[in-house]
Amino acid sequence: MKKFWSRLWVPALTLALLGTIPGCSSDDDGTTDPPTRVDLSGNYTMVSITSGGITLTPAEGATGTLTLTETRYTINLNLPGQEPFNDSGTYVALSDGSWGQESDNPILPQSTGTYVQNGNQVTVDSTTGGQQNLTVWQSN
């Protein structure tokens, strides 16, 4: 059986910094403004992670933390049967819902996608190296 970790490749959180993300919003006067950076700073605990059609939660022994500053992330993931994964790098969340991050580790692929903030939860739907991952985080 293929390991969950290899399908996950932890891209859900080793996202790639996006210099400019296409997209814009229209003002009432007809002008178009580019999306702006959204500050999601905080400490988060993993609610769930889905990759390759498999969802893991703390009930299945999957745990993780995510710390975001205005421009940087640090992630610690522990998935059943896998070595702990720790990473940090830069990220960007924009007002149009675009998300991207880039690991400080040059061998990890960039990741791009979308995010939704709903109250104290942030859901990131990202693709890295062709693998889609969905992570849900709750602020502490």
Side-chain angles (χ1 to χ4, degrees):
M1 180 177 168
K2 204 175 194 185
K3 288 186 175 182
F4 178 81
W5 187 261
S6 64
R7 285 191 306 263
L8 171 64
W9 186 219
V10 190
L13 302 166
T14 32
L15 308 167
L17 176 64
L18 302 176
T20 305
I21 298 176
C24 49
S25 61
S26 178
D27 292 338
D28 290 339
D29 65 3
T31 61
T32 304
D33 293 326
T36 57
R37 181 181 288 272
V38 175
D39 185 358
L40 298 174
S41 294
N43 296 307
Y44 298 84
T45 302
M46 186 184 74
V47 174
S48 66
I49 186 165
T50 303
S51 184
I54 297 172
T55 299
L56 295 175
T57 67
E60 287 87 33
T63 60
T65 60
L66 175 66
T67 301
L68 298 175
T69 66
E70 191 173 339
T71 60
R72 295 199 49 85
Y73 73 91
T74 300
I75 183 171
N76 301 292
L77 262 180
N78 294 292
L79 303 176
Q82 306 296 322
E83 292 294 319
F85 178 79
N86 303 298
D87 187 44
S88 61
T90 55
Y91 86 100
V92 63
L94 297 179
S95 58
D96 67 354
S98 299
W99 172 274
Q101 74 189 64
E102 183 174 353
S103 173
D104 290 338
N105 184 338
I107 67 167
L108 294 176
Q110 296 181 343
S111 181
T112 60
T114 60
Y115 79 96
V116 174
Q117 184 177 26
N118 186 8
N120 63 348
Q121 285 194 343
V122 174
T123 301
V124 178
D125 187 351
S126 64
T127 301
T128 302
Q131 178 66 49
Q132 183 179 11
N133 300 282
L134 182 74
T135 54
V136 179
W137 302 92
Q138 183 155 335
S139 62
N140 299 336

